[in-house]
Amino acid sequence: MDLQKYGPWAVVVGGSEGVGAAFGRQLAADGFKLVLVARKQGPLDEVAGELRAGGAEVRVISADLSKHDVLDHVRTVTDDVEVGLLVYNAGANNTRGPYLDLPREVPDSVIAINVLGQTEFARHYGQGMKARGKGGIILTGSLGGYVGSGTLAAYSASKAFSRVFTEALWAECQPMGIDVLHLNIGFTATPAMARLGMPIELAEPPENVAREGLDNIANGPVWIVSTPGNYERAKLASVVENRADVVRANAIRPREETAASAAEHKKLAGSSL
Ligand SMILES: NC(=O)c1ccc[n+]([C@@H]2O[C@H](COP(=O)([O-])OP(=O)(O)OC[C@H]3O[C@@H](n4cnc5c(N)ncnc54)[C@H](OP(=O)(O)O)[C@@H]3O)[C@@H](O)[C@H]2O)c1
């Protein structure tokens, strides 16, 4: 990763585990200084300790992205440094249910993190990049953002917003020297997925996802991680005709069926995910 273009500091939102921690490790190895953002102090300190032991300069801040003043809070540790790269990884999809039955806090939090958070952070750190004429922004998406999915209405809609927003931001920022990428990921072996009881041994390792994001930051506006089946799923869910059939065909399946489908893709690809 080009430290001159995207450094010296990178802010990784949701940087305490999984894909976010993998971004932190790979950026630290390339000489970046890091600000890691997440809620729980313990995992933040653990990742920071590991990176500092390797020689990196790391700041951490415990912050909740669902709070309206979260950016002000994060800025207390970034206003005095030059942030050349923003990786907004946190996406928080841990509660499923029919939209009309869910407590209001659930969709509100998803929208705050994936819509308001991504746009606010991109605007703030993007403005600094614009002034310097260089930098990069990676906003994390999901294959779920290609079609509305029952029991995940706010989540799938928020990831669709993220993709369309990123495409527009990419178009605007290219002439300014800022690379913008929507990193569209599929089933990935993160601790969040493990906590949901998903069979993460069948999923893409987070290190691969972070690597593809960094390697393709200049290949925006959208990069679909190359896990077998991801591209095909995105394509099938994107057709314009017969949306009723598309929505039905892409209905969220029980978690055990996700496992079966991941196993099938793995077998077909002969891959060692
Ligand atoms: N894993 C998958 O299979 C998968 C599939 C498609 C898309 N994605 C997308 O990939 C990204 C990473 O997913 P993930 O599975 O690692 O789970 P995640 O919960 O979105 O991300 C975990 C990271 O985000 C932090 N975080 C979560 N909620 C937060 C909040 N309210 N405020 C501040 N930090 C918060 C977590 O730390 P704390 O808990 O300490 O706050 C942790 O550092 C997300 O954008 C997700 O939508 C994942």
Side-chain angles (χ1 to χ4, degrees):
M1 193 65 175
D2 185 346
L3 189 57
Q4 293 310 312
K5 169 143 197 199
Y6 305 107
W9 284 83
V11 172
V12 184
V13 179
S16 64
E17 63 178 33
V19 176
F23 269 112
R25 290 187 185 102
Q26 292 174 23
L27 289 166
D30 285 341
F32 281 74
K33 302 174 187 193
L34 288 153
V35 176
L36 306 178
V37 183
R39 286 166 302 181
K40 295 189 286 294
Q41 191 70 45
L44 279 172
D45 288 340
E46 207 172 306
V47 177
E50 176 197 325
L51 301 185
R52 286 181 191 127
E57 189 173 340
V58 185
R59 296 177 178 183
V60 298
I61 182 146
S62 167
D64 186 345
L65 296 160
S66 67
K67 304 283 188 245
H68 75 278
D69 59 350
V70 63
L71 178 59
D72 291 340
H73 187 46
V74 173
R75 283 184 59 179
T76 60
V77 296
T78 63
D79 272 2
D80 63 332
V81 298
E82 194 176 306
V83 176
L85 180 66
L86 168 68
V87 178
Y88 197 106
N89 166 66
N93 163 35
N94 50 25
T95 309
R96 291 178 180 181
Y99 182 76
L100 299 181
D101 297 340
L102 282 172
R104 183 178 175 167
E105 297 71 43
V106 174
D108 281 3
S109 162
V110 168
I111 292 165
I113 295 168
N114 288 337
V115 177
L116 302 177
Q118 287 204 356
T119 52
E120 284 287 293
F121 276 65
R123 174 171 44 216
H124 173 68
Y125 293 105
Q127 284 171 341
M129 295 173 202
K130 180 184 174 193
R132 294 187 292 274
K134 59 178 183 167
I137 297 173
I138 297 177
L139 304 176
T140 305
S142 168
L143 289 181
Y146 283 96
V147 60
S149 298
T151 73
L152 282 175
Y155 177 76
S156 48
S158 73
K159 292 299 190 180
F161 176 95
S162 169
R163 179 165 47 84
V164 176
F165 171 73
T166 313
E167 287 176 349
L169 194 65
W170 172 85
E172 292 177 6
C173 287
Q174 244 194 350
M176 301 170 192
I178 306 168
D179 291 324
V180 181
L181 183 74
H182 179 80
L183 180 61
N184 205 305
I185 80 176
F187 185 32
T188 303
T190 62
M193 286 292 125
R195 288 192 291 272
L196 290 172
M198 300 292 277
I200 60 168
E201 66 282 2
L202 299 169
E204 188 74 41
E207 298 73 27
N208 296 0
V209 173
R211 186 76 272 152
E212 284 199 25
L214 294 176
D215 286 351
N216 292 289
I217 190 168
N219 295 326
V222 176
W223 184 263
I224 298 175
V225 174
S226 63
T227 308
N230 279 1
Y231 180 78
E232 291 74 14
R233 271 187 63 199
K235 206 170 166 189
L236 283 172
S238 298
V239 295
V240 173
E241 298 83 8
N242 301 323
R243 288 301 294 174
D245 291 342
V246 174
V247 172
R248 282 190 202 102
N250 285 278
I252 290 288
R253 294 172 176 82
R255 292 205 161 104
E256 51 280 14
E257 286 185 28
T258 307
S261 134
E264 185 59 19
H265 282 308
K266 188 175 175 183
K267 203 170 96 193
L268 287 176
S271 134
S272 55
L273 288 180

